[in-house]
Amino acid sequence: MAFKKVNGKWVPDIPEFELGIAFSAGDWNQGPGGGRFTPAMRHELDLARKVANLSMAGCKFIEFHDTEALPDDAPKLLKIVEDGGLKVHMCTANLFKRPEFVNGNFGSPDPKVRQAAINYTKEYLQVGIEIFKANLYVYWTGSNGINVPFGVDYRGAYERTAECLAMIMDWQINTFGAERALPFLVEPKPNEPPAWSYPGDVGEVLAVISMLPPRLQPFFGANPETCHSQMGGKRFAMELGLAAAKKKLWYVHLNGGSENPKFDEDRAFGDINFTTAVEIVWTLREIGFRYPVGLDVQPLPGDRNDQQVESVARSLRNFDRAMTVCDRIDPKILAEYQLDGDQASISDYFVSCLVNE
Ligand code: GCO
Ligand code: MN
């Protein structure tokens, strides 16, 4: 079941765990590397190796794009995943690296482009439900954006995006029933690949959800990602707070990066800024987040094949280290300082907990 009725309302039925127990990472997080300016330093691994690596790193789940795990191969790939002791948590149709989407997907003014995006999405939702038995579906905005001013009609762009989401959810519910429908999470990013993308942050995701017919809104949530928020100049933990306040925080993609990165650095969780990692774990604890935690982290450019899964493994260790720091923070002391508006003491208290003074 992917949704259940509580007090007459549909709520997501996603497996729950104690925080820090259940992690998921993408098949794409163990690639060979290489981009426009960087060499590929590793050879491609087969899925069995990737699954073994993720399991060794401490993950319980894996996630796929339809371009890596082709719909026709899904039964065969699922067997490899299960033989390796993992399950599929999330699946997602690739709406960024296909030529038809180079100028956008659900927001495109071209009905043929929107229809293609809808078709790929429906196809992979079906694979997620019937084959992978996935817990949820993610739509990362990908190419939905513009590269030059006047690139699209802005009001229409958001309206069309909402219309496509509504059509997809109506189809899902009519085809599989609400109980089996996969929770549909929107993962915002402010730019990259386009210069400006939409929806670009958690607030925009919530705005788009609010544009949907009320009967469909309960089936949509958000998947905030650390680096994406930081690219938009946001404090990630605040984005988590906002999504949770609207009861839409159903998944997270954690990673690490500099405070205002110009591109998606996708470092290990806790890399570069461990303070931010502690604040994130603290916030997830405060919110009572109990769903699996995702790690969208890439190997460092120079990592060798024998370090392929090191970014995921280090993320898990850093999550655990952040939990240890959180255990030292007394919520009552923090709440008192917050009530007093004593920011100086908060800052001093946090660092004393960090270094275990
Ligand atoms: C990015 C995104 C992607 C998505 C993934 C799943 O690199 O900007 O984070 O990794 O999370 O494509 O939709
Ligand atoms: Mn992501």
Side-chain angles (χ1 to χ4, degrees), residues 23-26 29-30 53-54 57-59 268 295 297-298 308-317:
F23 293 93
S24 177
N29 295 125
Q30 289 190 78
N53 278 349
L54 289 179
C59 291
L295 299 162
V297 302
Q298 292 293 335
Q308 185 87 50
V309 80
E310 180 48 31
S311 288
V312 176
R314 190 163 69 258
S315 296
L316 262 74
R317 287 197 293 277

PDB file of all heavy atoms in Angstrom, residues 23-26 29-30 53-54 57-59 268 295 297-298 308-317:
ATOM      1  N   PHE A  23      18.687   3.906   4.848  1.00  0.00           N
ATOM      2  CA  PHE A  23      19.211   4.834   3.847  1.00  0.00           C
ATOM      3  C   PHE A  23      19.025   4.256   2.448  1.00  0.00           C
ATOM      4  O   PHE A  23      19.029   3.037   2.262  1.00  0.00           O
ATOM      5  CB  PHE A  23      20.702   5.101   4.082  1.00  0.00           C
ATOM      6  CG  PHE A  23      20.985   5.846   5.355  1.00  0.00           C
ATOM      7  CD1 PHE A  23      21.269   5.160   6.532  1.00  0.00           C
ATOM      8  CD2 PHE A  23      20.952   7.238   5.385  1.00  0.00           C
ATOM      9  CE1 PHE A  23      21.520   5.845   7.705  1.00  0.00           C
ATOM     10  CE2 PHE A  23      21.199   7.923   6.565  1.00  0.00           C
ATOM     11  CZ  PHE A  23      21.490   7.233   7.724  1.00  0.00           C
ATOM     12  N   SER A  24      18.935   5.174   1.490  1.00  0.00           N
ATOM     13  CA  SER A  24      18.810   4.794   0.093  1.00  0.00           C
ATOM     14  C   SER A  24      19.787   5.642  -0.722  1.00  0.00           C
ATOM     15  O   SER A  24      20.092   6.773  -0.338  1.00  0.00           O
ATOM     16  CB  SER A  24      17.371   5.074  -0.376  1.00  0.00           C
ATOM     17  OG  SER A  24      17.226   4.791  -1.739  1.00  0.00           O
ATOM     18  N   ALA A  25      20.284   5.072  -1.826  1.00  0.00           N
ATOM     19  CA  ALA A  25      21.123   5.873  -2.731  1.00  0.00           C
ATOM     20  C   ALA A  25      20.840   5.433  -4.156  1.00  0.00           C
ATOM     21  O   ALA A  25      20.342   4.322  -4.400  1.00  0.00           O
ATOM     22  CB  ALA A  25      22.599   5.703  -2.395  1.00  0.00           C
ATOM     23  N   GLY A  26      21.163   6.305  -5.089  1.00  0.00           N
ATOM     24  CA  GLY A  26      20.856   6.044  -6.490  1.00  0.00           C
ATOM     25  C   GLY A  26      21.887   5.141  -7.150  1.00  0.00           C
ATOM     26  O   GLY A  26      23.062   5.167  -6.802  1.00  0.00           O
ATOM     27  N   ASN A  29      24.617   7.118  -8.404  1.00  0.00           N
ATOM     28  CA  ASN A  29      25.630   7.642  -7.483  1.00  0.00           C
ATOM     29  C   ASN A  29      26.926   6.836  -7.500  1.00  0.00           C
ATOM     30  O   ASN A  29      27.850   7.112  -6.748  1.00  0.00           O
ATOM     31  CB  ASN A  29      25.076   7.708  -6.048  1.00  0.00           C
ATOM     32  CG  ASN A  29      23.930   8.687  -5.915  1.00  0.00           C
ATOM     33  OD1 ASN A  29      22.844   8.341  -5.460  1.00  0.00           O
ATOM     34  ND2 ASN A  29      24.140   9.918  -6.351  1.00  0.00           N
ATOM     35  N   GLN A  30      26.967   5.829  -8.356  1.00  0.00           N
ATOM     36  CA  GLN A  30      28.198   5.036  -8.445  1.00  0.00           C
ATOM     37  C   GLN A  30      28.688   4.960  -9.879  1.00  0.00           C
ATOM     38  O   GLN A  30      29.119   3.909 -10.351  1.00  0.00           O
ATOM     39  CB  GLN A  30      27.938   3.634  -7.932  1.00  0.00           C
ATOM     40  CG  GLN A  30      27.749   3.603  -6.440  1.00  0.00           C
ATOM     41  CD  GLN A  30      27.755   2.178  -5.981  1.00  0.00           C
ATOM     42  OE1 GLN A  30      28.797   1.562  -5.863  1.00  0.00           O
ATOM     43  NE2 GLN A  30      26.576   1.656  -5.786  1.00  0.00           N
ATOM     44  N   ASN A  53      28.026  -2.967  -3.144  1.00  0.00           N
ATOM     45  CA  ASN A  53      28.686  -1.786  -2.565  1.00  0.00           C
ATOM     46  C   ASN A  53      27.743  -1.022  -1.640  1.00  0.00           C
ATOM     47  O   ASN A  53      28.116  -0.653  -0.524  1.00  0.00           O
ATOM     48  CB  ASN A  53      29.124  -0.825  -3.677  1.00  0.00           C
ATOM     49  CG  ASN A  53      30.440  -1.234  -4.306  1.00  0.00           C
ATOM     50  OD1 ASN A  53      31.139  -2.103  -3.797  1.00  0.00           O
ATOM     51  ND2 ASN A  53      30.764  -0.617  -5.435  1.00  0.00           N
ATOM     52  N   LEU A  54      26.519  -0.765  -2.133  1.00  0.00           N
ATOM     53  CA  LEU A  54      25.578   0.033  -1.324  1.00  0.00           C
ATOM     54  C   LEU A  54      25.208  -0.698  -0.047  1.00  0.00           C
ATOM     55  O   LEU A  54      25.095  -0.098   1.027  1.00  0.00           O
ATOM     56  CB  LEU A  54      24.312   0.356  -2.132  1.00  0.00           C
ATOM     57  CG  LEU A  54      24.483   1.359  -3.269  1.00  0.00           C
ATOM     58  CD1 LEU A  54      23.163   1.577  -3.991  1.00  0.00           C
ATOM     59  CD2 LEU A  54      25.010   2.698  -2.740  1.00  0.00           C
ATOM     60  N   ALA A  57      27.977  -0.417   2.339  1.00  0.00           N
ATOM     61  CA  ALA A  57      28.042   0.936   2.922  1.00  0.00           C
ATOM     62  C   ALA A  57      26.966   1.145   3.990  1.00  0.00           C
ATOM     63  O   ALA A  57      27.012   2.124   4.734  1.00  0.00           O
ATOM     64  CB  ALA A  57      27.904   1.982   1.821  1.00  0.00           C
ATOM     65  N   GLY A  58      25.958   0.263   4.019  1.00  0.00           N
ATOM     66  CA  GLY A  58      24.924   0.363   5.056  1.00  0.00           C
ATOM     67  C   GLY A  58      23.555   0.764   4.538  1.00  0.00           C
ATOM     68  O   GLY A  58      22.655   1.044   5.333  1.00  0.00           O
ATOM     69  N   CYS A  59      23.382   0.794   3.197  1.00  0.00           N
ATOM     70  CA  CYS A  59      22.066   1.161   2.646  1.00  0.00           C
ATOM     71  C   CYS A  59      21.127  -0.041   2.658  1.00  0.00           C
ATOM     72  O   CYS A  59      21.567  -1.183   2.554  1.00  0.00           O
ATOM     73  CB  CYS A  59      22.206   1.642   1.201  1.00  0.00           C
ATOM     74  SG  CYS A  59      23.036   3.222   1.066  1.00  0.00           S
ATOM     75  N   ALA A 268      29.685  14.182  -0.317  1.00  0.00           N
ATOM     76  CA  ALA A 268      29.139  13.338   0.751  1.00  0.00           C
ATOM     77  C   ALA A 268      28.435  14.213   1.777  1.00  0.00           C
ATOM     78  O   ALA A 268      28.824  15.368   1.995  1.00  0.00           O
ATOM     79  CB  ALA A 268      30.261  12.539   1.408  1.00  0.00           C
ATOM     80  N   LEU A 295      20.475   9.569  -0.066  1.00  0.00           N
ATOM     81  CA  LEU A 295      21.778  10.225  -0.226  1.00  0.00           C
ATOM     82  C   LEU A 295      22.026  10.383  -1.715  1.00  0.00           C
ATOM     83  O   LEU A 295      22.144   9.387  -2.429  1.00  0.00           O
ATOM     84  CB  LEU A 295      22.873   9.362   0.398  1.00  0.00           C
ATOM     85  CG  LEU A 295      22.678   9.134   1.898  1.00  0.00           C
ATOM     86  CD1 LEU A 295      23.495   7.961   2.379  1.00  0.00           C
ATOM     87  CD2 LEU A 295      23.008  10.400   2.673  1.00  0.00           C
ATOM     88  N   VAL A 297      24.701  11.540  -3.520  1.00  0.00           N
ATOM     89  CA  VAL A 297      26.104  11.972  -3.427  1.00  0.00           C
ATOM     90  C   VAL A 297      26.926  11.286  -4.514  1.00  0.00           C
ATOM     91  O   VAL A 297      26.704  10.128  -4.827  1.00  0.00           O
ATOM     92  CB  VAL A 297      26.695  11.643  -2.031  1.00  0.00           C
ATOM     93  CG1 VAL A 297      25.876  12.310  -0.945  1.00  0.00           C
ATOM     94  CG2 VAL A 297      26.757  10.152  -1.758  1.00  0.00           C
ATOM     95  N   GLN A 298      27.853  12.019  -5.071  1.00  0.00           N
ATOM     96  CA  GLN A 298      28.720  11.466  -6.110  1.00  0.00           C
ATOM     97  C   GLN A 298      30.108  11.190  -5.523  1.00  0.00           C
ATOM     98  O   GLN A 298      30.525  11.862  -4.579  1.00  0.00           O
ATOM     99  CB  GLN A 298      28.863  12.470  -7.261  1.00  0.00           C
ATOM    100  CG  GLN A 298      27.589  12.692  -8.056  1.00  0.00           C
ATOM    101  CD  GLN A 298      27.151  11.460  -8.833  1.00  0.00           C
ATOM    102  OE1 GLN A 298      27.958  10.599  -9.167  1.00  0.00           O
ATOM    103  NE2 GLN A 298      25.851  11.368  -9.104  1.00  0.00           N
ATOM    104  N   GLN A 308      34.669   3.567  -4.880  1.00  0.00           N
ATOM    105  CA  GLN A 308      33.430   3.892  -5.584  1.00  0.00           C
ATOM    106  C   GLN A 308      32.288   4.296  -4.655  1.00  0.00           C
ATOM    107  O   GLN A 308      31.547   5.220  -4.924  1.00  0.00           O
ATOM    108  CB  GLN A 308      33.003   2.668  -6.401  1.00  0.00           C
ATOM    109  CG  GLN A 308      31.807   2.874  -7.284  1.00  0.00           C
ATOM    110  CD  GLN A 308      32.192   3.414  -8.642  1.00  0.00           C
ATOM    111  OE1 GLN A 308      33.078   2.876  -9.292  1.00  0.00           O
ATOM    112  NE2 GLN A 308      31.526   4.457  -9.070  1.00  0.00           N
ATOM    113  N   VAL A 309      32.146   3.580  -3.566  1.00  0.00           N
ATOM    114  CA  VAL A 309      30.985   3.804  -2.706  1.00  0.00           C
ATOM    115  C   VAL A 309      31.376   4.610  -1.458  1.00  0.00           C
ATOM    116  O   VAL A 309      30.575   4.798  -0.554  1.00  0.00           O
ATOM    117  CB  VAL A 309      30.324   2.444  -2.361  1.00  0.00           C
ATOM    118  CG1 VAL A 309      31.067   1.727  -1.235  1.00  0.00           C
ATOM    119  CG2 VAL A 309      28.848   2.601  -2.051  1.00  0.00           C
ATOM    120  N   GLU A 310      32.616   5.136  -1.475  1.00  0.00           N
ATOM    121  CA  GLU A 310      33.134   5.817  -0.282  1.00  0.00           C
ATOM    122  C   GLU A 310      32.288   7.057   0.076  1.00  0.00           C
ATOM    123  O   GLU A 310      32.074   7.340   1.251  1.00  0.00           O
ATOM    124  CB  GLU A 310      34.611   6.184  -0.494  1.00  0.00           C
ATOM    125  CG  GLU A 310      35.299   6.889   0.639  1.00  0.00           C
ATOM    126  CD  GLU A 310      35.089   6.260   2.030  1.00  0.00           C
ATOM    127  OE1 GLU A 310      34.918   5.035   2.144  1.00  0.00           O
ATOM    128  OE2 GLU A 310      35.073   7.039   2.996  1.00  0.00           O
ATOM    129  N   SER A 311      31.794   7.774  -0.926  1.00  0.00           N
ATOM    130  CA  SER A 311      30.983   8.970  -0.608  1.00  0.00           C
ATOM    131  C   SER A 311      29.696   8.584   0.120  1.00  0.00           C
ATOM    132  O   SER A 311      29.245   9.303   1.017  1.00  0.00           O
ATOM    133  CB  SER A 311      30.639   9.756  -1.871  1.00  0.00           C
ATOM    134  OG  SER A 311      31.778  10.414  -2.354  1.00  0.00           O
ATOM    135  N   VAL A 312      29.114   7.451  -0.297  1.00  0.00           N
ATOM    136  CA  VAL A 312      27.897   6.990   0.397  1.00  0.00           C
ATOM    137  C   VAL A 312      28.271   6.522   1.805  1.00  0.00           C
ATOM    138  O   VAL A 312      27.623   6.894   2.794  1.00  0.00           O
ATOM    139  CB  VAL A 312      27.214   5.836  -0.388  1.00  0.00           C
ATOM    140  CG1 VAL A 312      26.022   5.294   0.388  1.00  0.00           C
ATOM    141  CG2 VAL A 312      26.775   6.315  -1.773  1.00  0.00           C
ATOM    142  N   ALA A 313      29.340   5.741   1.899  1.00  0.00           N
ATOM    143  CA  ALA A 313      29.741   5.202   3.207  1.00  0.00           C
ATOM    144  C   ALA A 313      30.101   6.342   4.170  1.00  0.00           C
ATOM    145  O   ALA A 313      29.709   6.338   5.339  1.00  0.00           O
ATOM    146  CB  ALA A 313      30.922   4.248   3.034  1.00  0.00           C
ATOM    147  N   ARG A 314      30.832   7.346   3.655  1.00  0.00           N
ATOM    148  CA  ARG A 314      31.213   8.481   4.508  1.00  0.00           C
ATOM    149  C   ARG A 314      29.967   9.275   4.929  1.00  0.00           C
ATOM    150  O   ARG A 314      29.881   9.783   6.050  1.00  0.00           O
ATOM    151  CB  ARG A 314      32.215   9.376   3.768  1.00  0.00           C
ATOM    152  CG  ARG A 314      32.849  10.449   4.636  1.00  0.00           C
ATOM    153  CD  ARG A 314      34.104  11.049   4.019  1.00  0.00           C
ATOM    154  NE  ARG A 314      33.873  11.859   2.839  1.00  0.00           N
ATOM    155  CZ  ARG A 314      34.082  11.491   1.588  1.00  0.00           C
ATOM    156  NH1 ARG A 314      34.539  10.286   1.321  1.00  0.00           N
ATOM    157  NH2 ARG A 314      33.852  12.303   0.570  1.00  0.00           N
ATOM    158  N   SER A 315      28.999   9.363   4.030  1.00  0.00           N
ATOM    159  CA  SER A 315      27.742  10.060   4.378  1.00  0.00           C
ATOM    160  C   SER A 315      27.063   9.383   5.561  1.00  0.00           C
ATOM    161  O   SER A 315      26.567  10.048   6.476  1.00  0.00           O
ATOM    162  CB  SER A 315      26.778  10.050   3.191  1.00  0.00           C
ATOM    163  OG  SER A 315      27.301  10.776   2.110  1.00  0.00           O
ATOM    164  N   LEU A 316      27.015   8.048   5.532  1.00  0.00           N
ATOM    165  CA  LEU A 316      26.383   7.317   6.633  1.00  0.00           C
ATOM    166  C   LEU A 316      27.152   7.519   7.932  1.00  0.00           C
ATOM    167  O   LEU A 316      26.563   7.711   9.000  1.00  0.00           O
ATOM    168  CB  LEU A 316      26.299   5.816   6.309  1.00  0.00           C
ATOM    169  CG  LEU A 316      24.941   5.355   5.768  1.00  0.00           C
ATOM    170  CD1 LEU A 316      24.736   5.809   4.341  1.00  0.00           C
ATOM    171  CD2 LEU A 316      24.803   3.859   5.866  1.00  0.00           C
ATOM    172  N   ARG A 317      28.486   7.476   7.832  1.00  0.00           N
ATOM    173  CA  ARG A 317      29.293   7.703   9.045  1.00  0.00           C
ATOM    174  C   ARG A 317      29.058   9.119   9.575  1.00  0.00           C
ATOM    175  O   ARG A 317      28.901   9.327  10.777  1.00  0.00           O
ATOM    176  CB  ARG A 317      30.785   7.502   8.753  1.00  0.00           C
ATOM    177  CG  ARG A 317      31.204   6.049   8.549  1.00  0.00           C
ATOM    178  CD  ARG A 317      32.712   5.883   8.680  1.00  0.00           C
ATOM    179  NE  ARG A 317      33.460   6.542   7.627  1.00  0.00           N
ATOM    180  CZ  ARG A 317      33.693   6.011   6.426  1.00  0.00           C
ATOM    181  NH1 ARG A 317      33.214   4.818   6.123  1.00  0.00           N
ATOM    182  NH2 ARG A 317      34.395   6.669   5.519  1.00  0.00           N
TER     183      ARG A 317
END
